[in-house]
Amino acid sequence: MTNPFIRKLENVCQISDEQRRELDRLTRVVRHLGPRDEFVEGDDGPHVVNIVLSGWAIRYRDLPDGRRQVIAILLPGDMCDPFGFLLRPVKCSFRSLTKITLAQIPVHKLRELADGSPGLTDGLWWQSHEAGEIQREKILSLGRRLAIERLAHFFCELFWRSEVTGHTEGSSCDMPITQENLGHVLGISTVQANRSLQELRERGLIRLADKRLTVIDSSMLAKLAMFDPTYLRRRAA
Amino acid sequence: MTNPFIRKLENVCQISDEQRRELDRLTRVVRHLGPRDEFVEGDDGPHVVNIVLSGWAIRYRDLPDGRRQVIAILLPGDMCDPFGFLLRPVKCSFRSLTKITLAQIPVHKLRELADGSPGLTDGLWWQSHEAGEIQREKILSLGRRLAIERLAHFFCELFWRSEVTGHTEGSSCDMPITQENLGHVLGISTVQANRSLQELRERGLIRLADKRLTVIDSSMLAKLAMFDPTYLRRRAA
DNA sequence: CGATAGGTTGAGTCGCATCAACCGGGGTGG
DNA sequence: CCACCCCGGTTGATGCGACTCAACCTATCG
C-alpha cells in the first residue's frame, strides 16, 4: 500500500520522484497506538508534525461538564493538526478509534522540503484549506441538518475522503466507529445515532456491519444528505 | 480611528512604521456597501483580498431547500476569506449586516509585503489559524450547547473580538444584528433567538437595545456560556 | 465463564420548531 | 402631512425531533 500522505498530496499537486523518496524517508519514523488511546500534539516535542498513516482517529473538544463534540475525523493521510507545520497546536484533544500508525516528521524537515518546492507547499496549504472547508460543512450540518441527514452526509463525506487515498473497494469502505462516537461526531445522542442508522438501513440506502460501510443507493443517500462534494478536493475536480 | 486590520495584526506580531505606512496605503482602495448587500469574493477580480474596515458582515452557506447557516461573523479587521491571500476562495456567500467598507488589496501586493517580513507573514497566518479556532468553537456550540448557552457564548466571543480592535466602550459594544440573523448564526429559529435573549435579560446578564450590547454580569455570562477565551488571541495572552 | 463494550428497544420528557397573530416605529408615497 | 406599509420584535399554542433513563441483548475477550 502506498503512503497515504503522499497519495493525498498528489491529488492536488505534482510530486517528483525525488520528493516522493524524501517524503517516504520522512514518514518512516512512526508511533503505534492502540484503539481508544489519547494522545497529545506536542507529546514528542513541539516540533513534530503528526500524520496518520493507518487507522482512524478523532480530534475533539469537551465542555467542562463533560459534553463531548468531535471536531474532525482523521483518516490515513491526514495531518492531525492542519496548521501543525506552522503554528502552535490546535486547542483540541486527540484519540484513536482503531489501532493507528502516526508518522512523525520534524517541522523543520518538512519546511525545508517544502521551501524547495512551491508545488509541495501548495499541497500542504491545500490540506489546511480542505480541513477548513470540512469544518464549515460541519457547521452547516450541526446547525441545520436533521439527525438522519447529518448521518447520511457523514457517510457521503467519509466515503468520498476514503476514495482519495484508495481506501474504498467498490461501494464499500471501512467505518470503524462506534455509535457512541458517531453521536459525538454528529452532535446527537447514542440512541439517536442508533435510530437514524436503522432508518438508513430500512430505507435501503446503506449497509453497515463489521465496521464496514456499503453504500447501496448513493444517489438517494446524497440527495437525503444534500451532499455537494465541491467542498472537497476542489483542485482535482 | 486607526486601521482595524493593522490593529488586529499588531495584536499578534510586530509591525514597523514603514510597514504600517505601506499597509495603510494598501487599504486605501475601498468599496462601500449598504446594509443587507450580497457580495462575492472574486467580484473584483480573483486576485483581491477583501478586508472589512468598518461595519459587520457574515459568511454563510445555504442548503438547497433554503435553510441557512451563518459560518462566521466578519468584524472590522477581518479578512473575508481567511485563505484569501493564498488559495481559491471559500465556498460561501457573503452579506453585509450594516453599511460596510471593504479594503481591497491585490493578492500579489500583500504577498510581496509579507515575503519581506516574517513577522507580517506570521500575523497573517495567525489570523487564518484564529479563524479555524473560531470555527471549531462554533462546532462545539452547535453540537453541544443549548440555545441560551450558544447565545451567551456568542456574546462573549463577539465582545472579546471587538475589544481587540478597540470597538468596545467599557462593558458595551456594537451588536448590529437582527434576531433573524442571530438564529442563522446560532442554528436556532428566530423565535427561539428572541426567547433566549429575553431570558438573558431577565437573568440580568446583559442589556441589548438599539443595536448595542452591554454586558452586565460578565462572569455569570461566561459561566453560562462555558466561555474559555484561550481559543482567541493566543499569542498575546 | 463471567465481565464488559457495543448495540437495540421502549417510555416519558424536554427543547426547540412551526404557525400565527399582533405590536411599534421608521420610512415612503400619495 | 398623514396614512400606510413593512421590517423587526414579541407572544401564545401546538407538534415534532431528539434526549434521557433504563432495560436487555449479543459478541468478544481475558
Side-chain angles (χ1 to χ4, degrees):
Chain A
M1 180 147 55
T2 60
N3 186 315
F5 182 54
I6 299 176
R7 286 198 66 160
K8 197 145 184 279
L9 284 171
E10 282 179 325
N11 193 57
V12 292
C13 68
Q14 296 291 328
I15 304 273
S16 71
D17 285 351
E18 191 193 340
Q19 287 173 329
R20 180 173 302 118
R21 274 193 301 278
E22 183 60 20
L23 282 170
D24 250 334
R25 192 161 32 241
L26 286 175
T27 51
R28 216 165 284 155
V29 178
V30 297
R31 184 175 164 200
H32 293 277
L33 295 172
R36 277 158 279 118
D37 260 0
E38 299 283 331
F39 61 98
V40 182
E41 287 279 306
D43 248 13
D44 308 84
H47 303 310
V48 169
V49 177
N50 287 293
I51 294 162
V52 180
L53 291 184
S54 68
W56 283 33
I58 55 174
R59 185 164 67 223
Y60 67 92
R61 283 192 193 174
D62 288 342
L63 290 176
D65 65 0
R67 284 176 264 175
R68 171 165 299 182
Q69 180 62 42
V70 171
I71 305 296
I73 302 277
L74 304 174
L75 303 186
D78 287 339
M79 292 185 284
C80 291
D81 183 342
F83 279 84
F85 59 105
L86 182 72
L87 296 163
R88 237 156 290 192
V90 291
K91 177 183 149 56
C92 284
S93 309
F94 296 85
R95 163 179 278 249
S96 58
L97 296 178
T98 66
K99 281 197 313 181
I100 61 173
T101 312
L102 295 178
Q104 304 201 294
I105 306 183
V107 173
H108 69 275
K109 296 242 184 186
L110 190 59
R111 292 187 80 160
E112 274 168 29
L113 190 60
D115 281 346
S117 157
L120 180 57
T121 305
D122 273 10
L124 291 172
W125 287 123
W126 198 258
Q127 293 210 21
S128 302
H129 185 260
E130 188 193 61
E133 287 287 349
I134 291 171
Q135 283 184 12
R136 285 183 276 280
E137 192 66 26
K138 194 169 191 58
I139 288 172
L140 178 57
S141 258
L142 292 171
R144 290 301 175 207
R145 284 186 178 92
L146 299 176
I148 193 170
E149 296 166 347
R150 293 182 206 177
L151 184 58
H153 190 274
F154 175 81
F155 286 145
C156 288
E157 180 186 306
L158 270 286
F159 186 86
W160 190 279
R161 285 170 60 193
S162 295
E163 250 181 347
V164 174
T165 46
H167 282 76
T168 56
E169 288 159 30
S171 58
S172 299
C173 69
D174 284 334
M175 190 57 58
I177 185 170
T178 65
Q179 295 183 358
E180 184 185 12
N181 279 311
L182 213 41
H184 293 155
V185 170
L186 303 177
I188 60 180
S189 67
T190 307
V191 173
Q192 190 64 14
N194 179 293
R195 287 177 172 141
S196 302
L197 207 41
Q198 290 185 45
E199 189 168 344
L200 286 186
R201 285 195 271 240
E202 277 160 22
R203 293 199 200 177
L205 303 184
I206 60 146
R207 187 160 39 235
L208 178 60
D210 303 323
K211 304 298 177 197
R212 203 153 172 87
L213 170 77
T214 304
V215 177
I216 298 173
D217 187 336
S218 66
S219 74
M220 282 302 291
L221 188 67
K223 188 179 171 201
L224 173 63
M226 291 167 285
F227 178 68
D228 169 7
T230 54
Y231 73 98
L232 299 166
R233 289 205 304 181
R234 292 171 66 209
R235 182 170 294 189
Chain B
M1 179 145 58
T2 60
N3 185 315
F5 182 55
I6 298 176
R7 286 197 67 158
K8 197 148 185 276
L9 284 171
E10 282 178 326
N11 192 57
V12 292
C13 66
Q14 295 292 329
I15 304 272
S16 71
D17 284 351
E18 192 193 340
Q19 287 172 330
R20 180 173 303 118
R21 274 192 302 277
E22 183 61 19
L23 282 170
D24 250 335
R25 194 163 27 245
L26 287 175
T27 51
R28 215 164 284 156
V29 178
V30 297
R31 182 176 164 199
H32 293 279
L33 295 172
R36 279 157 281 122
D37 261 359
E38 299 283 331
F39 60 99
V40 182
E41 285 280 304
D43 247 14
D44 307 85
H47 302 311
V48 170
V49 178
N50 286 293
I51 295 163
V52 180
L53 291 185
S54 69
W56 283 31
I58 55 174
R59 186 163 65 223
Y60 67 91
R61 283 192 192 175
D62 288 342
L63 289 176
D65 64 2
R67 283 175 265 176
R68 171 164 301 180
Q69 179 62 42
V70 171
I71 306 296
I73 302 277
L74 304 174
L75 301 186
D78 287 339
M79 292 184 284
C80 291
D81 182 341
F83 279 85
F85 60 104
L86 182 73
L87 295 164
R88 237 157 288 193
V90 290
K91 176 183 149 57
C92 283
S93 309
F94 296 84
R95 161 179 279 250
S96 58
L97 295 179
T98 67
K99 279 196 317 178
I100 61 173
T101 312
L102 295 179
Q104 305 201 292
I105 305 183
V107 173
H108 70 274
K109 296 242 182 185
L110 191 58
R111 294 188 79 160
E112 274 168 29
L113 190 60
D115 282 346
S117 158
L120 180 57
T121 304
D122 273 10
L124 290 173
W125 288 124
W126 197 260
Q127 293 211 22
S128 303
H129 185 260
E130 187 193 62
E133 287 287 351
I134 291 171
Q135 282 184 12
R136 286 183 277 281
E137 193 65 27
K138 193 168 191 59
I139 288 172
L140 178 57
S141 259
L142 292 171
R144 289 303 174 205
R145 284 186 178 92
L146 298 175
I148 193 169
E149 296 166 348
R150 293 181 206 176
L151 183 58
H153 190 273
F154 174 81
F155 286 144
C156 289
E157 180 186 305
L158 270 287
F159 185 86
W160 190 279
R161 285 171 59 193
S162 295
E163 250 181 347
V164 174
T165 46
H167 283 77
T168 56
E169 288 158 30
S171 58
S172 300
C173 69
D174 284 333
M175 190 56 60
I177 185 171
T178 65
Q179 294 183 0
E180 183 184 13
N181 279 312
L182 214 41
H184 293 156
V185 169
L186 302 176
I188 60 180
S189 67
T190 307
V191 173
Q192 190 63 15
N194 179 292
R195 287 177 172 140
S196 301
L197 206 40
Q198 290 186 45
E199 189 168 343
L200 287 186
R201 285 196 269 239
E202 277 160 23
R203 293 200 200 179
L205 302 184
I206 60 147
R207 186 161 39 237
L208 178 61
D210 302 324
K211 306 297 179 199
R212 200 151 175 89
L213 171 77
T214 303
V215 178
I216 298 173
D217 187 336
S218 66
S219 74
M220 283 301 292
L221 188 67
K223 190 179 170 201
L224 172 63
M226 291 167 285
F227 178 67
D228 169 7
T230 54
Y231 72 98
L232 298 166
R233 291 205 303 180
R234 291 170 67 208
R235 181 170 294 188

